[in-house]
Amino acid sequence: MSQEFEALRSYLESHTKEMVELESLLTSIPALAPESGGQGEAEKCAALEAWLKKNGITRLEHFDAPDSRVPGGVRPNLVATIPGNNDDYAIWVCAHLDVVPTGEISLWHTDPWKVVEKDGKIYGRGVEDNQQGLVSGVFAALAFVQQHILPEHTIKLLFMADEEVGSEYGMKYLVEKHLAIFGKEDHILIPDGGDSRGETIEIAEKNIFWFKFHTVGKQSHGSRPDLGRNAMLAAADLALRVNDMENVFNKRDELFDPPYSTFQPTMQMANVSTVNIIPGDDVFCADCRINPCYTLDEVRAELKKRITYIEEKYGVTVTVEELQAEQSKATPQDAPVVKELAAAIKAVHGIDARCVGIGGGTVGAHLRNAGYSCVVWSTMDELAHQPNEYAVIKNIAADALTIAYMASRIS
């Protein structure tokens, strides 16, 4: 390794205390979306911005999204730039500022809004999702700044709003209104998913379809089903036929786990209040994760046929609401950002990375659909949204060094 890279390594390995301090600051300011009963990310972003300026990262630019529901009327999207020697492409680290609620507070062993350090880990809401990746990106950049080393490639740090409830005011807004901030050749890393060894590079996501099915029949007495049209019976049949679509959209893709598409009925709404009533109204939902070889329109067409069959068989009407519909492209396995990250993982972690797909959704889908290659990667135990969420301190530093490797002259 070069002398410069060893200086970066030394800086990062000796500044884990400061990493924990930044995590502590960020955790102390709950950044919850209005949908989760919060006031957005503005206060947290302001604290981070002040911290960055104090520590020498001063080239900052806002791309805030208007939102009348929060104090100040905007949701912050902040970009920090650390200029590099070569302007052929930039290295982006895109992390989100918002967190999810604590959930059942009695399940927490510590105050979720106050970082507690124990056995090489820090506990608190948001310390892993997504502050671990955020702090790794910040300290990768800070290592160059405070060691007075010019990175080979410009480093761009994006701190986004609104990832946890849909990204309407975060990445979606940026792609729709400010897409030009990203260069077509830029290497974009989203440190918002991974595994405990840091060996999986996420390059693809299953298409996501969430449905709400509202079945309307005719209510009657439990002893006279002949006078009614049982909406629950029709809905139950429909639920099985939704699940059976796994046998239609059955191509396997070993990039994913599981490697097949899933069509799963999930939430069931309450209908009648006593046992002796034939329900005339029924609502259930389904969560479908579909391999990207299929389009959402193909799924819609097949689903329509099955709904028509149910309506005719039971004499009911079924209305469908699409609660979520996300379809995304994949990043090619030979894309420069994939190869560059894999080389950095090998150099820093000493392991051979492999490409994977996931069933969940990330902001990467919006970038890929806009024609940008990006990867999702981090070294984490995947405690997102759980009580007693934690981040492993050594992972924060190791991932920061991996990012620094990508931006250095030897990458």
Side-chain angles (χ1 to χ4, degrees):
M1 295 293 181
S2 70
Q3 185 175 353
E4 284 188 350
F5 185 73
E6 291 305 323
L8 297 172
R9 183 198 300 273
S10 177
Y11 175 87
L12 291 169
E13 290 178 349
S14 63
H15 281 75
T16 56
K17 178 181 177 182
E18 288 77 8
M19 296 175 190
V20 173
E21 288 174 352
L22 179 55
E23 281 264 26
S24 299
L25 170 65
L26 298 173
T27 301
S28 69
I29 309 172
L32 298 168
E35 293 89 337
S36 300
Q39 298 184 338
E41 307 84 358
E43 183 181 355
K44 184 174 181 177
C45 186
L48 174 61
E49 188 170 1
W51 190 96
L52 292 171
K53 290 177 179 177
K54 179 181 177 181
N55 285 275
I57 298 178
T58 58
R59 187 170 165 181
L60 304 168
E61 190 172 6
H62 276 268
F63 300 90
D64 299 342
D67 186 354
S68 61
R69 301 172 300 167
V70 298
V74 297
R75 306 288 290 278
N77 294 293
L78 178 66
V79 175
T81 300
I82 296 85
N85 179 60
N86 195 325
D87 62 0
D88 54 350
Y89 61 86
I91 304 290
W92 284 85
V93 183
C94 305
H96 61 87
L97 293 161
D98 59 322
V99 300
V100 296
T102 60
E104 177 52 54
I105 196 68
S106 66
L107 298 177
W108 284 81
H109 301 151
T110 62
D111 181 346
W113 304 116
K114 183 177 180 180
V115 163
V116 173
E117 183 177 349
K118 182 181 179 181
D119 300 328
K121 302 173 182 175
I122 52 173
Y123 292 83
R125 175 53 86 220
V127 293
E128 184 187 78
D129 183 23
N130 189 212
Q131 290 165 197
Q132 177 179 321
L134 185 157
V135 172
S136 290
V138 166
F139 273 85
L142 207 59
F144 287 98
V145 171
Q146 297 203 346
Q147 293 297 298
H148 306 290
I149 298 172
L150 182 68
E152 179 65 15
H153 302 282
T154 293
I155 300 171
K156 296 270 191 177
L157 306 177
L158 170 59
F159 310 105
M160 300 171 288
D162 194 37
E163 189 274 343
E164 296 292 3
V165 291
S167 294
E168 293 292 338
Y169 303 92
M171 186 60 83
K172 279 187 179 179
Y173 173 80
L174 293 172
V175 168
E176 291 172 2
K177 303 294 185 180
H178 300 285
L179 187 58
I181 66 174
F182 301 103
K184 279 293 185 180
E185 304 303 320
D186 287 353
H187 295 188
I188 304 173
L189 168 64
I190 302 163
D192 196 19
D195 65 275
S196 60
R197 297 187 69 232
E199 67 177 343
T200 54
I201 301 174
E202 186 262 282
I203 61 169
E205 300 173 11
K206 288 185 178 181
N207 298 332
I208 300 176
F209 237 160
W210 289 1
F211 297 105
K212 179 191 280 188
F213 300 97
H214 184 189
T215 304
V216 178
K218 182 181 179 181
Q219 183 175 309
S220 65
H221 193 278
S223 66
R224 294 299 305 271
D226 55 309
L227 299 179
R229 294 187 297 277
N230 194 325
M232 181 180 177
L233 184 61
D237 194 345
L238 177 59
L240 290 173
R241 293 176 189 276
V242 169
N243 178 244
D244 180 67
M245 289 170 67
E246 293 182 1
N247 295 315
V248 175
F249 300 97
N250 58 2
K251 291 180 181 178
R252 297 172 67 90
D253 187 337
E254 299 302 327
L255 198 63
F256 296 96
D257 189 10
Y260 49 85
S261 300
T262 57
F263 292 78
Q264 292 292 311
T266 54
M267 184 167 59
Q268 177 76 51
M269 307 296 191
N271 46 34
V272 294
S273 57
T274 64
V275 176
N276 63 341
I277 297 176
I278 300 292
D281 197 283
D282 192 90
V283 177
F284 77 93
C285 298
D287 183 336
C288 308
R289 311 287 172 134
I290 304 143
N291 281 350
C293 60
Y294 299 109
T295 68
L296 298 186
D297 282 342
E298 289 177 289
V299 174
R300 289 185 180 101
E302 178 65 26
L303 183 61
K304 184 178 180 180
K305 291 191 297 184
R306 294 176 182 235
I307 289 173
T308 299
Y309 175 84
I310 291 295
E311 289 178 324
E312 294 175 352
K313 179 179 179 181
Y314 294 95
V316 299
T317 59
V318 180
T319 57
V320 184
E321 180 182 353
E322 295 183 4
L323 302 179
Q324 188 169 346
E326 296 287 348
Q327 181 172 305
S328 71
K329 302 175 183 177
T331 294
Q333 294 196 37
D334 61 352
V337 64
V338 177
K339 294 191 288 187
E340 182 179 56
L341 176 58
I345 294 169
K346 180 68 172 180
V348 175
H349 294 255
I351 58 177
D352 294 315
R354 57 187 175 88
C355 292
V356 300
I358 61 171
T362 74
V363 299
H366 310 302
L367 286 165
R368 290 172 183 144
N369 286 341
Y372 293 80
S373 292
C374 61
V375 291
V376 178
W377 172 84
S378 193
T379 309
M380 57 171 58
D381 288 353
E382 295 192 278
L383 274 294
H385 300 196
Q386 297 183 35
N388 306 303
E389 176 184 352
Y390 68 78
V392 179
I393 298 171
K394 69 177 183 179
N395 288 344
I396 304 174
D399 287 4
L401 186 61
T402 306
I403 296 166
Y405 186 97
M406 294 172 69
S408 69
R409 287 184 170 86
I410 60 173
S411 64

